[in-house]
Amino acid sequence: MSAVRKRTFKALAGALVAVALVVAPLVTAGASAAEPSASWPADTVGVKGELKAWTSDTNHTDYWKQQYPDAIACYSSEASTDHGRITDGGKTVTLNEYSPSWPGDHWEVLVIKAGNDWNSVIENPQAGVAYASPPNSAGNQANVSHWIVCKGKTPEQPKDKVTVDKESTTDCVKNVVVTVTTTTTTPYIWDAATQKWVLDSANAESSEKSESRPLTEEEWADCNPTTTKTTYGEWADGEWDCGDTSVTQTREVYTTVYHGEIAEPTVTTTETQERELTPEEISANCDLIAGVIESVCIGDAPFLGYEVTLPEGFETEDENPVTITFVNPEGEDYVVPGTHPLSGTILWPGASTGTPKMWPGWELVNGEYVKTDGNYDWTRNGVTVRFQVNPSYETEVEYPAASEDCANPPVGGGDDPTGTPASTDSGALAATGGGISPMFAVAGGAALFAGISVVAIAAYRRRKAGAE
């Protein structure tokens, strides 16, 4: 090719490209502006289908068979008019009755074509119905150019749908779980409008079956929550000995475990605690500890000399805590007035050292001493004397013997009742075999104590008797 021709060709090619660049947008713009509206004319003849845009592919039967998987065969009116005809002067298509000799059993889809804008698509069309052709680009109903129809076969009726619903209820009274099984059977019915099998709920049938079983351990526990009830007996003191400062108490504990309203056997246990004893309780099991307790003569008067000690663990702040009682076996006891120290001497009941002097079992009648059953005569023949703080001690004390100068008043000797006996030195004690106790010392000289009657220590007696 010559150089001139080459330059001419390049110039023409360039001009063509330039024209294409200018014209292409104009064509595209014109096409967009002329795109028809998807609407049916008001004066449309026939039953309207669904407007779907036309493409070259929509002219082929294979395209529509792919769109409708249930279609078993599709036909174009251009190849055969056995399936229907154009009616209403070219504005509609009417299908013929479905022939039993044809494959399938119904019309699956009808596609009516008229121009290159729209397809009128009717799913599950019916024979004898005039279906409208689509509008053209001007918005008017176009004349039918050709149509495509697909045959379909109704799918087999599905098996009835069976649903099983189980609901369990726990019966805590009967201790069982009740399970109700509901079986619902729903058949299918053919929906001509959609050409599909759908559930026929109106004709569903249900049946129930009830079963029961015993509760599991966990279910039983949920039904019968565990609670524990504990009750207590009264605290009871144990025994304690003299010298103890506390006592062990015991009580019974009753524990019952409930599972709901069902009770297990009650379990009984014992618990203990220590309780401090009160001073009164400490003394209750203790006696006063006795020292020397005896009747003595001081001058010509009878006295009771005593010495007691508090038991271990018992304390008192009182300097004179002791109450002394002469116990009358046949009448009212004699309580020595006031309280007294833990050791000392007291004048014998019925005796006096003042004027006139007196002795128990005697009284003055017309200036003469006369024997009487009164004036504490009951203390002369062995009398029980009780020493008490709270702990106590009792012992029998003998009144001085009749031979002692302090036992009785002087009679028949001409002695003055207001003075001293003629046979007794007023500054000394009669001594007839008793020991001398330092606790009975008399100020003013060396004093001798004659033990008229020495008594045994009751604490020893009582402990010995308890041991036997």
Side-chain angles (χ1 to χ4, degrees):
M1 181 181 295
S2 66
V4 175
R5 288 183 178 178
K6 288 182 179 179
R7 286 196 295 273
T8 302
F9 178 77
K10 289 182 179 179
L12 289 173
L16 290 174
V17 170
V19 170
L21 291 174
V22 173
V23 173
L26 294 177
V27 172
T28 303
S32 299
E35 185 175 343
S37 174
S39 60
W40 288 93
D43 56 353
T44 298
V45 176
V47 177
K48 302 170 185 176
E50 181 183 0
L51 294 178
K52 293 186 178 182
W54 177 93
T55 67
S56 60
D57 291 336
T58 62
N59 283 331
H60 303 287
T61 56
D62 291 344
Y63 172 84
W64 294 106
K65 192 173 184 302
Q66 291 178 358
Q67 298 299 311
Y68 291 88
D70 291 337
I72 60 176
C74 295
Y75 307 89
S76 172
S77 63
E78 293 178 331
S80 174
T81 58
D82 293 341
H83 303 107
R85 59 194 182 280
I86 297 174
T87 51
D88 294 313
K91 300 296 185 186
T92 62
V93 173
T94 302
L95 294 175
N96 296 331
E97 291 294 332
Y98 203 91
S99 174
S101 63
W102 293 338
D105 54 15
H106 68 277
W107 300 116
E108 185 74 15
V109 62
L110 172 63
V111 182
I112 302 175
K113 298 181 171 296
N116 296 330
D117 294 313
W118 301 103
N119 296 304
S120 177
V121 180
I122 302 94
E123 295 180 356
N124 301 311
Q126 302 299 311
V129 177
Y131 293 101
S133 62
N136 55 27
S137 58
N140 299 317
Q141 186 177 5
N143 289 327
V144 176
S145 61
H146 63 285
W147 43 275
I148 295 174
V149 66
C150 297
K151 298 175 181 176
K153 182 175 177 59
T154 302
E156 293 183 4
Q157 182 176 359
K159 293 182 179 180
D160 295 347
K161 181 179 180 180
V162 178
T163 58
V164 178
D165 182 34
K166 291 187 177 183
E167 183 175 0
S168 297
T169 303
T170 301
D171 189 337
C172 293
V173 175
K174 297 181 179 179
N175 291 325
V176 296
V177 173
V178 179
T179 300
V180 177
T181 302
T182 303
T183 302
T184 303
T185 303
T186 306
Y188 282 87
I189 188 173
W190 181 256
D191 183 6
T194 62
Q195 293 292 298
K196 292 181 181 180
W197 290 103
V198 295
L199 288 171
D200 187 8
S201 299
N203 292 309
E205 294 182 354
S206 297
S207 62
E208 290 185 354
K209 181 181 179 181
S210 180
E211 296 178 317
S212 63
R213 61 168 176 79
L215 296 176
T216 64
E217 291 185 5
E218 291 182 356
E219 290 168 337
W220 192 87
D222 291 338
C223 252
N224 301 278
T226 300
T227 57
T228 301
K229 180 180 180 181
T230 304
T231 57
Y232 302 89
E234 297 292 331
W235 285 111
D237 289 337
E239 296 182 357
W240 70 89
D241 297 324
C242 179
D244 291 343
T245 58
S246 65
V247 61
T248 300
Q249 291 185 310
T250 60
R251 70 176 179 182
E252 291 186 330
V253 181
Y254 308 96
T255 303
T256 306
V257 177
Y258 289 86
H259 302 283
E261 296 182 356
I262 301 174
E264 293 183 0
T266 299
V267 177
T268 303
T269 56
T270 301
E271 64 180 7
T272 62
Q273 70 174 11
E274 289 294 316
R275 181 180 68 82
E276 295 297 322
L277 293 171
T278 65
E280 292 76 11
E281 290 173 323
I282 292 174
S283 67
N285 277 14
C286 296
D287 291 330
L288 289 172
I289 301 172
V292 178
I293 299 176
E294 58 189 5
S295 60
V296 296
C297 287
I298 300 179
D300 56 359
F303 282 80
L304 173 70
Y306 70 91
E307 182 179 15
V308 293
T309 304
L310 293 175
E312 182 181 358
F314 187 85
E315 298 179 358
T316 177
E317 296 180 357
D318 192 345
E319 294 182 356
N320 299 301
V322 182
T323 298
I324 303 174
T325 302
F326 286 75
V327 180
N328 185 349
E330 298 180 356
E332 184 178 357
D333 295 341
Y334 171 69
V335 180
V336 179
T339 54
H340 306 273
L342 292 173
S343 63
T345 58
I346 59 171
L347 190 64
W348 199 274
S352 70
T353 57
T355 302
K357 294 181 179 180
M358 293 299 296
W359 287 261
W362 293 85
E363 62 181 358
L364 275 173
V365 180
N366 297 323
E368 296 289 334
Y369 288 102
V370 178
K371 193 71 176 73
T372 178
D373 291 336
N375 193 27
Y376 301 99
D377 181 65
W378 54 270
T379 65
R380 298 178 62 90
N381 296 318
V383 62
T384 297
V385 181
R386 180 185 304 127
F387 301 87
Q388 187 171 10
V389 177
N390 187 345
S392 62
Y393 171 76
E394 290 184 359
T395 188
E396 187 174 294
V397 180
E398 293 292 338
Y399 186 73
S403 61
E404 301 298 336
D405 290 339
C406 70
N408 300 306
V411 290
D415 291 323
D416 183 355
T418 62
T420 59
S423 60
T424 303
D425 184 354
S426 62
L429 297 177
T432 58
I436 299 176
S437 174
M439 72 176 180
F440 303 128
V442 177
L448 297 177
F449 293 87
I452 306 302
S453 176
V454 179
V455 299
I457 298 176
Y460 174 80
R461 289 179 176 177
R462 294 176 66 180
R463 292 192 178 102
K464 183 177 181 182
E468 295 175 350

